[in-house]
Amino acid sequence: MSPSLQRAQLPPFSYADEPPAGENLPILPQHVSPGRLERVLRAGHFAITTEIAPPDSADPEEVYQRARLFDGYVDAMNATDGSGAHCHMSSVGMCSLLTRKGYAMVMQISCRDRNRIAIQGDVLGAAAMGVCNILCLSGDGVQAGDHPDAKPVFDLDSMTALQTIRTMRDESRFLSGRKITSPPRVMLGGAANPFAPPYDYRPYRLAKKIAAGAQFIQTQYCFDMPMFERYMQQVRDMGLDKKVFILLGVGPLASAKTAEWIRANVAGVHIPDTIIQRLKGAQDQKREGLNICIEMIQQARELEGVHGVHIMAYRQEHNVAEIVERSGALEGRKPWYPGLVETSASSSSLSPATQELAV
Amino acid sequence: MYTMRQWSARHARGLKHSYEWLERSLVKLYPYFQRMGLSKVEQPLMKFVEQPTKRFLFDSQSCGQCTLGSTGMSCPMNCPKTIRNGPCGGVRANGKCEVKPEMDCVWVVAWQGTQQLRTEQQALHILQPALDWRLKGKSAWLRAAEQRIREMKS
């Protein structure tokens, strides 16, 4: 039976024990975090996460507005941490604001900007604010961003960051050995890029990340399904898909020109010629970009060992709802969002914020 | 030297062999070093032997915690992000570094070097712990010998 048909047999996902916004859910047996994302994944559903771009602003309303776009379509949002080595509102700040409203957050930690003292402090602070998921990244080099003159820190790397936070959680101590009175209850995640060399080492590196503590994985953008299938074959052969939740990274390309620019300038993003040709040949390139993204998700839903998708729709955040809707990725589920109980009877399939933008 | 660095990874098998021989020799010499005073031995050993050799062969950055034996004789400290458990996701399609496009990714080289080794020697899958920055400039060889002696005792 295909993975999506298997999931169709699952009992519906329940929000029965949902606490008031800003408070944590109870931690279920065998779970490490009080988070909704972990519940969705462990229950076997196809999870959807997305990326929320932090504003260049100190106004919380801007953050809430950006979050509302995804209401009812995603299980968790990644708050990026200086993505592309550009300066924006911090991921801790983003998560603090959004967890107050009850949103499930994935806090990204990049090792580029902070040393082990700062990172561990942020982990405690974030967990105290209700962050249940942390994604550890090495981070883009400073040369890629708006402050190429900055000092790159890289005290830890993504693996040792994972290991450090796992030690904090499971052994209640800092890397130094000093005791933590109440450990951070977080699910740990890492990134994987199956689309960059050395290709045959990539599955082994995934195994290494799992050994370091990764429980979920979000991949780099996938525009090459055959390549990803080869990777997954090896991942399954190594039994790794049983040890970690894999969320395939996807996103809409705005045009053939954008795709060519990304290919030339963004490190680690692989876009095959066939995709660029397809965009070039399309009447409405933006539409075609969405179609490609939706097809990727539909194929991912049928892939053994893929547990969800991570939609990165930079500057196309308003299209996430359509992508989720048309790809059928929710498989009949409705992810929690503030006010879900009151409006669940509403017949509209689009959230108010998306409707505003669609006008 | 960059060319030498590439050569070393291509000859990882022989170099790994020499490294193992060196470790055994240092383990044997260790008691004599101890009698002479380790602090007295460390500085000249580092300055005149270890650092110049490793600098020449691997572009070693003298982090004091050598992983060469586990990384296919490619020094990870030449990674601009000093990633000890690489490669990162930014490797270019041609295997070059994201930060320095003219340089081969040290982890692509490490994987090539590892494939020169026999399976039981391959240690790229071992998780390297966070670096102790206090050891920068200290002798990694002496530390490795110390560790080996500790392992043999236990």
Side-chain angles (χ1 to χ4, degrees):
Chain A
M1 208 188 332
S2 89
S4 66
L5 284 174
Q6 278 175 30
R7 285 192 295 268
Q9 324 266 321
L10 290 171
F13 192 82
S14 152
Y15 297 109
D17 58 351
E18 194 61 45
E23 284 176 32
N24 282 337
L25 286 159
I27 303 182
L28 297 178
Q30 316 298 321
H31 286 219
V32 295
S33 80
R36 234 176 272 120
L37 179 62
E38 185 177 7
R39 287 188 173 197
V40 170
L41 285 167
R42 289 202 197 272
H45 292 286
F46 196 77
I48 301 178
T49 57
T50 194
E51 212 165 75
I52 179 166
D56 298 334
S57 153
D59 179 6
E61 199 43 51
E62 282 187 46
V63 176
Y64 298 141
Q65 255 174 21
R66 288 175 189 219
R68 276 198 291 270
L69 283 175
F70 307 129
D71 277 2
Y73 292 101
V74 303
D75 294 301
M77 282 178 265
N78 282 45
T80 56
D81 182 14
S83 74
H86 281 74
C87 204
H88 305 289
M89 185 188 284
S90 71
S91 55
V92 180
M94 293 284 290
C95 290
S96 302
L97 288 170
L98 292 170
T99 48
R100 279 190 218 171
K101 301 281 181 194
Y103 286 108
M105 300 304 295
V106 178
M107 183 172 85
Q108 297 195 179
I109 291 183
S110 146
C111 296
R112 176 193 58 234
D113 307 322
R114 278 161 296 162
N115 69 7
R116 61 192 84 180
I117 301 173
I119 288 175
Q120 294 180 89
D122 276 351
V123 167
L124 289 186
M129 289 300 306
V131 171
C132 301
N133 315 286
I134 294 182
L135 182 83
C136 297
L137 301 163
S138 293
D140 301 298
V142 293
Q143 89 294 340
D146 61 343
H147 293 75
D149 45 351
K151 180 178 193 288
V153 179
F154 296 113
D155 179 29
L156 302 178
D157 58 29
S158 56
M159 300 265 183
T160 47
L162 279 169
Q163 221 178 4
T164 302
I165 305 172
R166 186 181 56 187
T167 307
M168 292 173 75
R169 183 192 66 203
D170 295 350
E171 298 171 31
S172 292
R173 55 181 185 85
F174 291 108
L175 199 53
S176 65
R178 210 154 50 77
K179 198 93 188 108
I180 294 169
T181 51
S182 184
R185 306 284 184 198
V186 289
M187 177 160 74
L188 288 172
N193 189 356
F195 312 105
Y199 305 107
D200 31 351
Y201 179 62
R202 292 289 170 182
Y204 295 102
R205 183 152 199 264
L206 176 63
K208 209 164 154 176
K209 273 208 176 160
I210 297 168
Q215 296 163 302
F216 71 95
I217 289 289
Q218 291 171 323
T219 77
Q220 180 56 278
Y221 283 110
C222 172
F223 295 110
D224 189 340
M225 200 39 92
M227 196 175 198
F228 182 64
E229 282 177 18
R230 283 196 297 276
Y231 173 81
M232 280 309 296
Q233 185 61 52
Q234 213 178 333
V235 165
R236 284 192 301 266
D237 290 347
M238 291 166 75
L240 301 178
D241 59 319
K242 302 275 182 270
K243 295 181 184 163
V244 73
F245 297 109
I246 298 174
L247 308 185
L248 179 68
V250 293
L253 291 163
S255 67
K257 217 173 134 191
T258 323
E260 278 171 337
W261 187 88
I262 292 175
R263 186 154 80 158
N265 295 292
V266 182
V269 181
H270 158 72
I271 306 176
D273 293 333
T274 47
I275 293 286
I276 293 185
Q277 290 312 325
R278 192 174 149 187
L279 286 168
K280 272 186 184 156
Q283 254 180 353
D284 184 344
Q285 298 200 351
K286 201 160 189 172
R287 274 280 93 211
E288 197 62 12
L290 283 177
N291 293 340
I292 293 170
C293 176
I294 289 162
E295 284 167 29
M296 293 289 165
I297 298 178
Q298 287 166 339
Q299 291 174 45
R301 284 180 56 202
E302 301 304 333
L303 259 184
E304 188 77 46
V306 175
H307 306 89
V309 283
H310 177 53
I311 306 170
M312 296 170 278
Y314 180 63
R315 287 193 175 161
Q316 286 203 55
E317 286 87 351
H318 56 279
N319 285 329
V320 168
E322 188 190 329
I323 293 171
V324 172
E325 199 77 62
R326 281 178 52 205
S327 65
L330 280 173
E331 301 177 346
R333 259 184 336 113
K334 187 86 180 164
W336 185 93
Y337 62 96
L340 170 74
V341 186
E342 295 92 79
T343 58
S344 60
S346 144
S347 58
S348 163
S349 63
L350 293 175
S351 70
T354 319
Q355 280 171 342
E356 266 166 45
L357 257 146
V359 173
Chain B
M1 215 190 348
Y2 185 60
T3 353
M4 219 36 231
R5 202 206 280 181
Q6 310 288 86
W7 181 91
S8 299
R10 276 201 306 277
H11 296 84
R13 196 167 182 160
L15 283 169
K16 170 102 181 167
H17 208 70
S18 323
Y19 241 63
E20 281 163 359
W21 172 83
L22 180 75
E23 193 183 271
R24 283 195 297 274
S25 316
L26 284 168
V27 166
K28 276 184 207 141
L29 286 170
Y30 199 78
Y32 301 101
F33 289 162
Q34 269 178 320
R35 237 170 286 158
M36 289 155 75
L38 282 174
S39 52
K40 267 188 210 154
V41 178
E42 181 159 5
Q43 218 200 351
L45 174 73
M46 192 59 195
K47 194 172 170 190
F48 298 111
V49 189
E50 184 174 338
Q51 198 180 32
T53 316
K54 290 204 300 194
R55 183 88 216 167
F56 174 69
L57 286 173
F58 314 109
D59 269 346
S60 158
Q61 303 295 311
S62 301
C63 69
Q65 296 139 86
C66 208
T67 60
L68 283 164
S70 312
T71 54
M73 303 318 264
S74 169
C75 171
M77 300 312 279
N78 287 310
C79 164
K81 301 182 187 175
T82 60
I83 292 179
R84 309 269 291 173
N85 295 285
C88 75
V91 186
R92 290 163 195 265
N94 57 3
K96 299 279 180 187
C97 169
E98 163 197 346
V99 182
K100 295 181 178 170
E102 68 285 357
M103 181 180 91
D104 283 344
C105 164
V106 302
W107 283 96
V108 170
V109 176
W111 177 233
Q112 286 160 356
T114 298
Q115 282 160 328
Q116 306 293 317
L117 305 176
R118 288 193 304 273
T119 324
E120 69 275 14
Q121 287 180 317
Q122 293 185 359
L124 207 61
H125 57 274
I126 295 174
L127 199 61
Q128 297 296 333
L131 204 66
D132 181 344
W133 292 91
R134 290 170 299 188
L135 296 171
K136 191 164 170 60
K138 299 262 170 69
S139 168
W141 288 354
L142 276 186
R143 265 193 94 239
E146 257 166 34
Q147 204 183 338
R148 189 85 198 90
I149 291 166
R150 261 204 309 274
E151 280 167 13
M152 288 192 299
K153 276 182 190 160
S154 65

